[in-house]
């Protein structure tokens, strides 16, 4: 389905007013989800038969072969949530049309939601749909390095427990950053991941899982990266000739990503990101950065809803306890 280029005004709304026309009701949103989930027509999740489904009450689909009944949201991130689909869609639109995204508090305000937790969980469910497990690996010349983020627990938690000094503590979180370097200038796609510490055990698997074999990996010369050559990468470490000591080399791409990421976490999220959930913020940053050249913001909305129909459903407790982190 990635082969056919989606068109504004046909495949996704071009403007907010078009959005409101398209997605005014639960039924309209469900029909849109059905189209994205089964672009070649309904396929029964139980028996796998493709046939035009029967229709039951409350928008349920009935497989003509095995009589299985399901809703279009079953098995997606929208599964078993009490939030109406138009609210989900409005959240997706807002999340993707704002250049810097939105905090849970901001989303709660703009959608007039009763609870902060609802807004928080909507954002986290969408974040879990932002990274496709089958995405392409980075290629060409790729800068790789580690960086540190200073995070603290959520501001709301802090207000409630103002006396608790422990909640105020800032956590330093190590992350691995990879970015494609384009010739003659500019940057391509990125990959980010939290790591326990900048060690060989964390960084080499990160490169293997995110960078195409044969790509040129550019590092700051740290000996940690030496096994890259054995792993089939063309390693370009920066070491001053005649010296065994690695020299510091600025990696402009990694540096740029780290500073944009820090600015985003401080700006949109006020640095109040629970370190346990940082992976999902990295996913959101990656989703937006890798689509920064999209001509239409509506295209991001389209991709987010499309990927939401194939992302694994999670419960509120899963999100809170950080369960089911898919391997990136
Ligand atoms: Zn069936």
């Amino acid at each position: 389905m990635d082969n056919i280029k989606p068109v504004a005004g046909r495949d996704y709304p071009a403007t907010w007013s078009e959005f409101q026309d398209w997605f005014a009701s639960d039924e309209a949103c469900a029909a849109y989800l059905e189209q994205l989930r089964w672009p070649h027509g309904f396929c029964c999740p139980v028996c796998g038969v493709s046939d035009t489904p029967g229709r039951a009450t409350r928008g349920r689909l009935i497989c003509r072969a095995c009589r299985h009944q399901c809703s279009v949201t079953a098995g997606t991130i929208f599964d078993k949530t009490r939030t109406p689909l138009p609210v989900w869609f409005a959240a997706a639109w807002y999340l993707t049309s704002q250049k810097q995204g939105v905090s849970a508090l901001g989303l709660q305000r703009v959608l007039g939601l009763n609870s902060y937790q609802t807004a928080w969980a909507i954002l986290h469910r969408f974040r879990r749909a932002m990274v496709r497990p089958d995405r392409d690996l980075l290629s060409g010349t790729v800068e790789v390095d580690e960086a540190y983020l200073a995070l603290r627990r959520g501001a709301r938690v802090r207000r409630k427990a103002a006396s608790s000094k422990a909640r105020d503590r800032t956590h330093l979180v190590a992350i691995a950053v990879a970015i494609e370097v384009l010739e003659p200038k500019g940057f391509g796609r990125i990959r980010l991941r939290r790591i326990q510490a900048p060690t060989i055990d964390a960084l080499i698997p990160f490169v293997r899982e995110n960078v195409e074999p044969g790509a040129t990996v550019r590092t700051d010369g740290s000996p940690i990266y030496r096994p890259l050559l054995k792993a089939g990468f063309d390693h370009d470490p920066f070491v001053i000739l005649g010296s065994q000591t690695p020299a510091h080399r600025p990696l402009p791409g990694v540096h740029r990503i780290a500073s944009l990421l820090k600015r985003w976490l401080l700006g949109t999220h006020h640095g109040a990101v629970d370190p346990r959930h940082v992976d999902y913020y990295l996913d959101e940053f990656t989703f937006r950065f890798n689509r920064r050249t999209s001509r239409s913001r509506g295209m991001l909305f389209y991709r987010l809803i499309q990927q939401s129909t194939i992302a694994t459903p999670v419960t509120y407790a899963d999100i809170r306890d950080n369960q089911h982190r898919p391997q990136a």
Side-chain angles (χ1 to χ4, degrees):
M1 63 186 128
D2 275 353
N3 298 336
I4 308 152
K5 218 169 165 218
V7 177
R10 186 194 71 190
D11 300 300
Y12 56 85
T15 62
W16 170 241
S17 98
E18 206 163 71
F19 176 92
Q20 287 172 304
D21 285 348
W22 286 26
F23 303 123
S25 68
D26 233 63
E27 293 71 33
C29 297
Y32 189 75
L33 283 181
E34 190 179 331
Q35 179 62 37
L36 285 184
R37 188 173 181 184
W38 296 296
H40 310 294
F42 174 77
C43 175
C44 174
V46 170
C47 71
V49 167
S50 291
D51 192 5
T52 314
R55 306 276 165 177
T57 50
R58 291 175 37 242
R60 296 179 74 79
L61 309 171
I62 308 164
C63 170
R64 293 195 194 278
C66 75
R67 308 305 299 167
H68 172 70
Q69 280 198 24
C70 70
S71 70
V72 69
T73 56
T76 74
I77 66 160
F78 312 109
D79 198 8
K80 298 189 182 88
T81 67
R82 273 169 292 177
T83 306
L85 284 176
V87 175
W88 276 103
F89 275 47
W93 183 266
Y94 199 73
L95 177 59
T96 50
S97 62
Q98 298 297 305
K99 216 171 167 206
Q100 300 295 334
V102 60
S103 67
L105 200 56
L107 188 69
Q108 184 193 359
R109 283 191 189 133
V110 74
L111 296 183
L113 299 171
N114 288 329
S115 106
Y116 172 85
Q117 274 71 23
T118 303
W120 183 85
I122 286 175
L123 288 176
H124 267 293
R125 284 199 170 88
F126 275 133
R127 285 186 188 113
R128 283 169 187 248
M130 284 180 176
V131 165
R132 280 196 347 256
D134 63 337
R135 62 198 174 153
D136 297 330
L137 301 174
L138 303 185
S139 58
T141 301
V142 180
E143 284 182 15
V144 175
D145 203 358
E146 66 270 2
Y148 291 89
L149 304 173
L151 304 173
R152 57 181 174 75
R153 293 270 176 111
R156 287 175 58 88
V157 179
R158 240 160 35 90
R159 232 178 288 141
K160 278 185 196 156
S163 59
S164 165
K165 283 269 177 339
R167 300 252 188 222
D168 279 306
R169 207 179 297 143
T170 299
H171 298 258
L172 268 190
V173 174
I175 61 165
V177 180
I179 178 169
E180 291 174 331
V181 181
L182 305 180
E183 294 298 335
K185 66 183 183 105
F187 301 111
R189 298 163 299 163
I190 60 165
R191 296 284 185 265
L192 303 170
R193 181 188 295 171
R194 176 173 50 168
I195 50 177
Q196 289 307 314
T199 61
I200 181 170
D201 291 342
L203 287 163
I204 301 300
F206 169 74
V207 174
R208 279 184 191 215
E209 285 157 36
N210 291 287
V211 182
E212 214 168 74
T216 301
V217 178
R218 201 175 272 177
T219 69
D220 65 3
S222 156
I224 288 175
Y225 294 102
R226 268 184 207 147
L228 280 176
L229 273 178
K230 270 189 221 147
F233 294 95
D234 185 4
H235 185 208
D236 170 24
F238 185 73
V239 182
I240 287 178
L241 283 178
S243 162
Q244 288 303 306
T245 333
H248 177 74
R249 167 170 64 178
L251 294 163
V254 169
H255 185 80
R256 173 146 182 77
I257 292 308
S259 84
L260 284 174
L261 178 61
K262 285 172 192 172
R263 204 184 305 165
W264 177 64
L265 290 172
L266 275 175
T268 301
H269 301 288
H270 308 287
V273 167
D274 189 324
R276 286 174 304 169
H277 299 131
V278 71
D279 289 302
Y280 299 101
Y281 291 87
L282 299 181
D283 286 352
E284 180 181 345
F285 184 89
T286 303
F287 176 83
R288 202 170 277 116
F289 185 87
N290 287 352
R291 288 168 181 78
R292 67 198 180 283
T293 56
S294 272
R295 226 175 292 156
S296 165
R297 306 303 292 180
M299 189 60 206
L300 273 72
F301 166 82
Y302 177 87
R303 286 288 176 230
L304 182 57
I305 297 291
Q306 182 184 47
Q307 289 174 204
S308 296
T309 67
I310 52 171
T312 314
V314 283
T315 65
Y316 185 83
D318 288 337
I319 300 172
R320 188 193 56 212
D321 305 335
N322 202 23
Q323 295 300 306
H324 300 302
R325 169 75 188 159
Q327 286 304 304

